[in-house]
């Protein structure tokens, strides 16, 4: 499944990054960070006609030889990025969409916690579990 | 592709060839709409055709699956007349028709060309023309299969109309033929595809079938439809690979593509269709890479035809990734790095070809995809280099060299055959293969090409606004440079990367870059600067000496907490002291501190880039704040030091607060307090920073700089601690105790006040003095020290001393220098002495008698008493006769002068010059000693004996009696010499009547030379007219002596000399004598009438 899941704040700083395996976390951070270029590009290209209901799912941001990076932007411009291995052929567009939906729900649940201040790093265990469920091989 | 649908022609070949060119041109002139089956959108296309002669043998069988090479349409041409038709043409037609019918080919047309219009017209009977016959014979069911072409070689409108009709019919029928064939073909193809999972199905066969369809569409100019065919094939192949990967089921044909790959020649886009490759595929010789290369090159060719070069770039990345994926999935055996070579070569080929096809208008869309492609190329090159030992700190081993050779051979197999195709118009850019070879040839070229490529990629990313990607490449480059050992270059990239990560709030990345930076700086062996906070933190900063005097030590106490578990040896710790104009005020602090460090790193305008606005912290950072000495503070309290964060406007503040940059700039460390060689122990350390040699001013603590060998840590002391360093030079002042001036010549009490300025004088301190020439301090014993006995409230020391300044000292400015241990430099005090007297003299004359007056002007407010005046003369020939009262005491002060008078009597006339000395004794109440002191004055007189007396008489005209205004009077000037018996006295004199035109009008010679007569007198008479009435002084007369100057004419002696007695006057030819008049010295001429006046009556008749 996913090898890296990241939640990025509106201002593009990371709120949450989880990678499996953890030893190469920095590499994934670079990947996610770089993907923001494409995310921003996609947001700004759509954002012109404001009233349109924007498609939250941004699709494949960019492929590398080993990984595929997918993006998703909530209406509040919080970005989700999921990195999957290119060799994992079982993951098609629909599966990825499903993962993002799940992630979004998890994020919203986490956000509903009154003790969480939006913009802080996400430390919720529940959210962590949601993410882990998407990353574990099943 | 140059192929065109094939159309056969039969019948009258001569006729056809005359129409051939017109037909070729006419057919594509107008686009035709092609309605297609299965609800596909209609296409508009321009039909073209190539005409071949009809031959029964080339007619395809019904089973034939070809599309492109198939003759689609058949035309029979005839222009015969009825008789010929009946005789031969009908036969021919029938044969042709039957042949077609046998092949079940319904796509034909009989064209009857009528060259002679009149013939048709003349035939009145219907069904008797050729066309009627033909229609009757062959086209009874399909009347549209026969058409008349009227006089096609003429250019009139009728013929044109007939052409149009013909061409329209032809186009329509041809399209019908295509549709029929294509639908049939597609149906076949579909059924073939349906069988794809059956054993024995071969992908290559199917590929060729569908490709044929693609060719067909391409032939018809329907490039997008052609592309669809390839895309479908692409997808189908991918699907097969995917299925195999997921299910493990392997189709038999797949093994062809699983062969070991021995050639990794990159994609070649030089030709639209590479027939060699196609043949390879056709003959099942193609490897996976060959097949993919061929497929993608076809897709690219069509995309270029569609004028979408950027889509080539867009698809390229996907293509490469997918192929690699497939190579892996199918476990195609390839040498190490060969796949990377293939990627590199393909990328380069795509980039080069795209560049050729792209114009500037598409640059934006194009760059978006090429940037990624370039990046990919760059990475691949790097990994090849890594494997072949070409990266900076490696040297290729023999194995790696062999690998390079293997790789090179693997990519160059087709070199020659390809060169044949490339004509002279091939661009000069080196082929990707050459480039890779060059890169692999040596470490240097590898580095050069890699760096070139990286810079280009970074530039492209920046161009399309993907700054994060550019940064990543920058970081990669930094790694590369670091391996090259060029740490300086690496550092810039790293600093940039780190700053931008920091600004975006990606701390893990920033820290990663920081680590790299540390490595880099280690390599550079230069000092570098880090944020202190990780190692130490500052618990407290106290200024121990808030107010110091210049050059006194300034002390700051810093409690530094070492967060590490071990002792840290610091070479040097410094705090910068910043001069500030701001006076330490509690309220002004928060701005004073935090403004300074604000967004100093100018924000670059980066698209899609918002620096992170930090969350408002909910923690108040407070710190103790004192003002004044810590022992006795003026104010004490707590200050929130992060007010700027806490009280920040939460929203709409836009850019938000700055994120403190990790790399801080140094403060100005010209002023600093330091403490050297300290071991910082874990936990709290109390450090005292000391500073000397500060100049005066207000100072604020700036940064703390901890230096440990090559490392520097910088920390802003965000505390408002001020120093006041002030400095007043000690000064000294001397004022007289009584009187307003300090007077020379007497002993006078003065008060010497020393203002120690910033220094402190204590009782008992000793001052040594030193006086300038002529000034003495009168003290008992020969001491030169003063002992401070009392300090005034202001801290001044006051001494009362007696000063004596020699009255005869030329310089009235005296100086006292005081030296003491207290002061670093001697204190100078200048004293201005004034002389109590000012003495002048004056010579008076009364005919032959001479008098000398000595005038003593007082200079002080206080009285000075003068007694016993005395005048002595040097010359024995002069005798002095005192006219003063003896024993008279005269008082002189600033308001009162004293005069003394002596008569000078001379025995001889020859006293040229003599010195006179006036002495008197004086005493004053100012004088402390109150003893009589001597005042002396020297003067000299010269040429004071009277030589001539001048007398003037103004007399009216005898008949007038008295002078009247406007009436002429006589001025007589009488000159008499006193040296009547003297022979060598001058007898030639000059006179001058000084004219005052407001009083006298003069007639006659107002100046001139006069000769004394025998009796040594002379008289001059002038006419004068008084202009004013009343008592009028005589016109003043001046007597002058004549002096002859001799000008020598000798050339060698050009200077002039005075007329001395030696110089002979006897040689007038030689010398030029000019006469000058010179005034007599004072006293030599006695003007006896100088004060005389004449009474002038007003003129009665004069109104004035």
């Amino acid at each position: 499944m996913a090898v890296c899941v990241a939640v990025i704040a509106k201002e593009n700083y990371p709120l949450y990054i989880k990678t499996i395996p953890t030893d190469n976390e920095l590499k994934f951070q670079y990947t996610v960070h770089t993907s923001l270029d494409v995310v921003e590009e996609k947001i700004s290209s759509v954002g012109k006609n404001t009233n349109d209901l924007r498609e939250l799912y941004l699709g494949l941001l960019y492929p590398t030889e080993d990984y595929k990076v997918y993006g998703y932007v909530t209406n509040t411009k919080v970005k989700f990025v999921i990195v999957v291995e290119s060799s994992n052929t079982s993951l098609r567009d629909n599966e990825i969409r499903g993962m993002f939906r799940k992630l979004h729900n998890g994020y919203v649940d986490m956000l509903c916690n009154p003790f969480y201040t939006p913009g802080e790093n996400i430390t919720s265990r529940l959210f962590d579990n949601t993410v882990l469920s998407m990353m574990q091989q099943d | 592709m140059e192929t065109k649908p094939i159309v056969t022609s039969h019948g009258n070949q001569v006729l056809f060839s005359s129409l051939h060119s017109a037909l070729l041109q006419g057919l594509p002139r107008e686009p035709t709409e092609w309605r297609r089956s299965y609800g596909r959108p209609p296409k508009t296309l321009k039909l073209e055709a190539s005409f071949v002669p009809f031959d029964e043998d080339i007619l395809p069988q019904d089973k034939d699956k070809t599309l492109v090479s198939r003759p689609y349409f058949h035309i029979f041409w005839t222009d015969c007349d009825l008789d010929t038709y009946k005789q031969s043409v009908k036969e021919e037609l029938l044969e042709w028709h039957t042949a077609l019918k046998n092949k079940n080919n319904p796509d034909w047309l009989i064209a009857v060309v009528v060259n002679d219009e009149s013939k048709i017209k003349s035939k009145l009977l219907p069904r008797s023309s050729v066309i009627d016959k033909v229609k009757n014979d062959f086209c009874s069911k399909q009347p549209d299969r026969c058409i008349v072409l009227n006089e096609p070689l003429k250019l009139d409108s009728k013929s044109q109309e007939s052409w149009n009709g013909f061409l329209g019919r032809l186009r329509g029928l041809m399209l019908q033929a295509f549709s029929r064939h294509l639908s049939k073909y597609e149906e076949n193809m579909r059924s073939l595809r349906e069988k794809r999972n059956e054993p024995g199905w071969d992908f290559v066969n199917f590929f060729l079938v569908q490709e044929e369809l693609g060719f067909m569409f391409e032939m018809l100019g329907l490039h997008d439809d052609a592309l669809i065919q390839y895309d479908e094939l692409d997808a189908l192949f991918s699907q097969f690979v995917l299925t195999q990967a997921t299910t493990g089921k392997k189709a038999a044909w797949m093994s062809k593509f699983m062969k070991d790959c021995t050639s990794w020649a990159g994609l070649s886009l030089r030709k639209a269709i590479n027939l060699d490759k196609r043949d390879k595929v056709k003959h099942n010789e193609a490897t996976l890479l060959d097949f993919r290369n061929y497929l993608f090159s076809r897709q690219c060719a069509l995309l270029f035809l569609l004028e979408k070069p950027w889509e080539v770039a867009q698809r390229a990345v996907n293509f490469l990734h997918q192929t690699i994926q497939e190579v892996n999935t199918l476990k195609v055996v390839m040498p190490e790095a060969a796949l990377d070579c293939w990627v590199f070569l393909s990328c380069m080929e795509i980039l080069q070809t795209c560049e050729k096809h792209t114009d500037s208008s598409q640059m934006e869309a194009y760059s978006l995809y090429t940037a990624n492609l370039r990046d990919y190329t760059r990475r691949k090159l790097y990994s090849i280099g890594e494997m072949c030992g070409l990266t900076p700190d490696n040297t290729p081993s023999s194995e790696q060299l062999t690998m390079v050779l293997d790789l090179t051979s693997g990519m160059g197999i087709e070199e020659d055959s390809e060169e044949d195709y490339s004509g002279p118009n091939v661009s000069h850019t080196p082929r990707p293969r050459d480039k890779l070879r060059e890169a692999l040839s040596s470490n240097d070229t590898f580095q050069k090409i890699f760096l070139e490529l990286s810079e280009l990629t970074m530039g492209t990313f920046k161009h399309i606004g993907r700054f994060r990607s550019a940064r990543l490449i920058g970081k990669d480059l930094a790694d590369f440079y670091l391996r090259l050992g060029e740490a300086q270059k690496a550092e810039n990239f790293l600093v940039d990367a780190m700053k931008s990560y920091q600004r975006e709030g990606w701390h893990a990345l920033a820290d990663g870059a920081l680590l790299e930076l540390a490595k880099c700086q280690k390599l550079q062996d230069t000092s570098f600067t880090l944020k202190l906070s990780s190692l130490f933190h500052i618990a407290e900063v106290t200024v121990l000496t808030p107010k110091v005097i210049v050059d006194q030590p300034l002390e700051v106490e810093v409690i530094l907490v070492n967060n590490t578990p071990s002792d840290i040896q610091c070479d040097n710790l410094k705090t910068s002291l910043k001069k500030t104009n701001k006076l330490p005020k509690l309220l002004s602090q928060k701005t004073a501190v935090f403004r300074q460090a604000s967004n100093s790193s100018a924000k670059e305008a980066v698209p899609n880039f918002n620096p992170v606005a930090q969350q408002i912290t909910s923690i108040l950072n407070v710190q103790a704040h004192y003002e004044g000495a810590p022992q006795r503070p003026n104010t004490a309290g707590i200050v929130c030091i992060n007010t700027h964060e806490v009280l920040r406007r939460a929203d709409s503040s836009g850019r938000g607060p700055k994120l403190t940059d990790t790399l801080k700039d140094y403060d100005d460390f010209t002023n600093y307090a330091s403490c050297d060689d300290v071991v910082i122990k874990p936990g709290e350390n109390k450090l005292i920073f000391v500073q000397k040699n500060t100049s005066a001013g207000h100072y604020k603590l700036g940064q703390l700089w901890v230096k440990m060998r090559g490392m520097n840590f910088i920390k802003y002391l965000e505390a408002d601690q001020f120093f006041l360093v002030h400095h007043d030079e000690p000064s000294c002042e001397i004022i007289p105790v009584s009187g307003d001036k300090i007077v020379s010549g007497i002993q006078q009490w003065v008060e010497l006040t020393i203002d120690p300025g910033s220094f402190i004088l204590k009782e008992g301190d000793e001052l040594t003095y030193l006086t300038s020439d002529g000034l003495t301090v009168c003290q008992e014993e020969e001491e030169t020290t003063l002992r401070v006995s009392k300090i005034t409230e202001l801290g001044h020391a006051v001494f009362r001393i007696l000063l004596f300044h020699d009255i005869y000292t030329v310089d009235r400015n005296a100086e006292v220098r005081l030296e003491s241990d207290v002061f670093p430099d001697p204190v100078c005090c200048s004293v201005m002495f004034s002389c109590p007297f000012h003495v002048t003299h004056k010579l008076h004359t009364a005919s032959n008698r001479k008098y000398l007056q000595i005038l003593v002007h007082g200079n002080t407010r206080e009285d000075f008493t003068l007694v016993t005046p005395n005048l002595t003369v040097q010359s024995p020939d002069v005798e002095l006769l005192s006219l003063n009262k003896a024993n008279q005491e005269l008082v002189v002060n600033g308001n009162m002068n004293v005069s003394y008078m002596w008569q000078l009597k001379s025995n001889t006339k020859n006293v040229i010059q003599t010195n006179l000395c006036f002495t008197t004794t004086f005493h004053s109440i100012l004088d402390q000693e109150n003893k009589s002191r001597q005042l002396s004055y020297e003067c000299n007189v010269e040429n004071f004996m009277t030589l001539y007396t001048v007398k003037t008489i103004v007399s009216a005209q005898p008949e007038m009696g008295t002078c009247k205004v406007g009436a002429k009077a006589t001025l007589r000037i009488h000159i008499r010499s006193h040296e009547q018996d003297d022979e060598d006295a001058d007898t030639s004199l000059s006179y001058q009547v000084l004219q005052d035109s407001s009083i006298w009008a003069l007639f006659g010679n107002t100046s001139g030379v006069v000769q004394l007569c025998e009796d040594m007198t002379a008289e001059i008479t002038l006419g004068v007219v008084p202009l004013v009435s009343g008592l009028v002084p005589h016109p003043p007369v001046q007597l002058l002596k004549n002096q002859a100057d001799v000008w020598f004419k000798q050339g060698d002696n050009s200077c002039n000399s005075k007329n001395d007695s030696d110089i002979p006057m006897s040689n007038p030819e030689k010398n030029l004598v000019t006469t000058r008049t010179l005034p007599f010295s004072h006293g030599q001429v006695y003007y006896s009438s100088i004060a005389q006046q004449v009474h002038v009556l007003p003129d009665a008749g004069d109104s004035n």
Side-chain angles (χ1 to χ4, degrees), chain A residues 8 11-14 17 26 29-30 32-34 36-38 40-41 63-65 86-87 89 92 118-119, chain B residues 242 246 321 324-325 368 376 380 464 466-469 472 475 501 504-506 508-509 608 610 612-613 615:
Chain A
I8 291 143
E11 295 88 351
N12 284 341
Y13 63 91
I17 292 190
L26 206 59
Q29 287 217 14
Y30 279 122
V32 173
H33 181 251
T34 315
L36 287 178
D37 272 338
V38 189
E40 288 286 351
E41 224 167 72
T64 66
E65 206 174 296
S86 296
S87 54
T89 45
R92 313 301 292 268
Chain B
L242 208 64
T246 45
H321 285 153
I324 289 172
Q325 212 50 240
L368 210 54
Y376 195 29
K380 282 297 161 194
I464 58 171
R466 292 192 176 173
F467 279 83
R468 295 177 187 88
S469 312
L472 192 61
K475 212 193 73 61
Y501 291 144
E504 278 208 296
W506 287 73
L509 297 186
N608 303 334
N610 303 311
V612 182
Q615 290 305 306

Side-chain angles (χ1 to χ4, degrees), chain A residues 30-68:
Chain A
Y30 279 122
T31 310
V32 173
H33 181 251
T34 315
S35 74
L36 287 178
D37 272 338
V38 189
V39 173
E40 288 286 351
E41 224 167 72
K42 292 205 175 191
I43 293 174
S44 57
S45 64
V46 171
K48 302 291 176 279
N49 30 0
T50 45
N51 289 341
D52 286 1
L53 256 184
R54 192 164 46 82
E55 164 85 274
L56 302 182
Y57 177 59
L58 297 177
L60 182 65
L61 297 179
Y62 73 97
T64 66
E65 206 174 296
D66 308 318
Y67 300 103
K68 284 182 172 146

Side-chain angles (χ1 to χ4, degrees), chain B residues 333-364:
Chain B
V333 179
M334 276 179 94
E336 214 181 348
L339 202 55
D340 292 340
C341 281
W342 174 77
V343 171
F344 179 85
L345 294 172
S346 304
C347 277
M348 289 299 278
E349 175 75 9
I350 292 159
L351 286 171
Q352 279 185 4
T353 320
C354 281
E355 246 152 58
K356 256 185 266 170
H357 282 85
T358 306
D359 55 17
S360 54
S361 63
Q362 293 161 315
M363 209 58 201
E364 207 68 28

Side-chain angles (χ1 to χ4, degrees), chain B residues 909-967:
Chain B
K909 288 175 185 167
N910 300 329
V911 183
I912 309 288
Q913 183 179 9
T914 184
N915 273 333
L916 293 163
C917 183
F918 168 75
T919 55
T920 181
T921 49
F922 66 90
H923 55 88
S924 165
I925 48 159
L926 280 177
D927 195 348
Q928 200 51 41
E929 263 186 324
N930 203 13
K931 69 178 182 189
S932 295
R933 294 176 193 275
Q934 194 86 39
L935 168 72
S936 76
Y937 171 74
E938 278 189 21
C939 60
N940 68 61
V941 288
E942 53 179 17
N943 294 333
F944 58 90
M945 295 308 287
T946 309
L947 297 177
Y948 302 100
T949 302
V950 177
K951 193 175 174 188
T952 54
I953 302 154
V954 177
S955 55
Q957 301 286 8
E959 67 272 14
M960 300 277 289
T962 51
C963 293
K964 269 191 179 169
V965 172

Side-chain angles (χ1 to χ4, degrees), chain B residues 1057-1074:
Chain B
S1057 82
K1058 291 265 166 67
N1059 181 13
D1060 287 346
S1061 55
D1062 311 342
I1063 294 172
M1065 305 273 285
S1066 56
N1067 201 355
E1069 285 111 20
K1070 265 194 171 172
N1071 300 333
L1072 180 72
V1073 182
T1074 59

